[in-house]
Amino acid sequence: MTYAVKEIFYTLQGEGANTGRAAVFLRFAGCNLWSGREEDRSTAVCQFCDTDFVGGSKFANAEQLAAAVAVEWLGAGDRFVVCTGGEPLLQLDRPLIDRLHEQGFEIAVETNGTIEAPAGLDWICVSPKANAPLVQTHGDELKVVYPQEGLDLETLENLQNLAFTYFFVQPMDGPDLDRNAELAAAYCLEHPRWRLSLQTHKLLGIR
């Protein structure tokens, strides 16, 4: 399989339960909820994406891509890779998971939840989107960008077979960020099962 990758870089995980942890980010190109082109944003299922996932490089096989990820790891200690996008589960498959494990990486994925995750992943973060099907109903963290019209957190929390260890709300970025942060904080105070996630990489000015 050929993999389309927007970028690979070493940074700190900025969001969710692994905030502050050193990681190689493997950002795949492409998404099933938005083309990535601004002219399509208003008609996309997900209209608030803050990530550029268009273009990049091609890798001919899993061995080449896993080796490229390993080159980016600059630290000592346990290796950690975050597979993101776009929507990484359009491309992340068992051969690549196996090759990354052979390189010594713990593997996390950040997905919109519309595609079932393959076996072998070490950490699954699902970030559901309004008006999109939620197929991946179990994992390590459920992280909801908040608020989203048409996505009710109490209804989501009560879905049958929903199984996550951590529940996060994260203020939607953009011109209303301050107001969204207030709403997210208030929701966590009123619903203590949910925790507040902030995009600390943006606060720090890093990738």
Side-chain angles (χ1 to χ4, degrees), residues 6-83:
K6 172 61 180 181
E7 56 186 349
I8 307 171
F9 58 95
Y10 184 63
T11 188
L12 298 178
Q13 169 61 281
E15 306 172 0
N18 286 304
T19 294
R21 184 175 179 182
V24 176
F25 267 63
L26 169 54
R27 187 179 307 286
F28 289 95
C31 184
N32 58 345
L33 300 184
W34 177 43
S35 69
R37 298 189 297 267
E38 284 301 322
E39 59 265 30
D40 298 331
R41 186 184 287 273
S42 64
T43 58
V45 175
C46 178
Q47 300 180 5
F48 57 81
C49 182
D50 59 359
T51 303
D52 178 8
F53 53 81
V54 177
S57 305
K58 301 279 190 179
F59 291 84
N61 54 54
E63 289 80 5
Q64 288 184 9
L65 181 50
V69 171
V71 166
E72 295 297 321
W73 181 260
L74 303 179
D78 297 333
R79 292 181 166 193
F80 186 51
V81 59
V82 178
C83 300

Side-chain angles (χ1 to χ4, degrees), residues 105-117:
F105 281 96
E106 179 183 347
I107 305 169
V109 67
E110 296 181 342
T111 173
N112 59 34
T114 61
I115 301 170
E116 186 174 356

Side-chain angles (χ1 to χ4, degrees), residues 83-151:
C83 300
T84 185
E87 175 45 55
L89 294 187
L90 292 169
Q91 301 186 64
L92 181 60
D93 56 9
R94 192 55 193 259
L96 180 56
I97 291 169
D98 290 344
R99 301 295 85 77
L100 288 169
H101 277 150
E102 288 173 3
Q103 291 283 356
F105 281 96
E106 179 183 347
I107 305 169
V109 67
E110 296 181 342
T111 173
N112 59 34
T114 61
I115 301 170
E116 186 174 356
L121 295 168
D122 303 299
W123 188 273
I124 298 174
C125 172
V126 175
S127 182
K129 304 300 186 290
N131 303 313
L134 182 59
V135 175
Q136 183 65 35
T137 57
H138 65 275
D140 298 281
E141 60 181 306
L142 187 72
K143 184 178 65 183
V144 180
V145 176
Y146 186 83
Q148 290 184 55
E149 185 177 355
L151 186 62

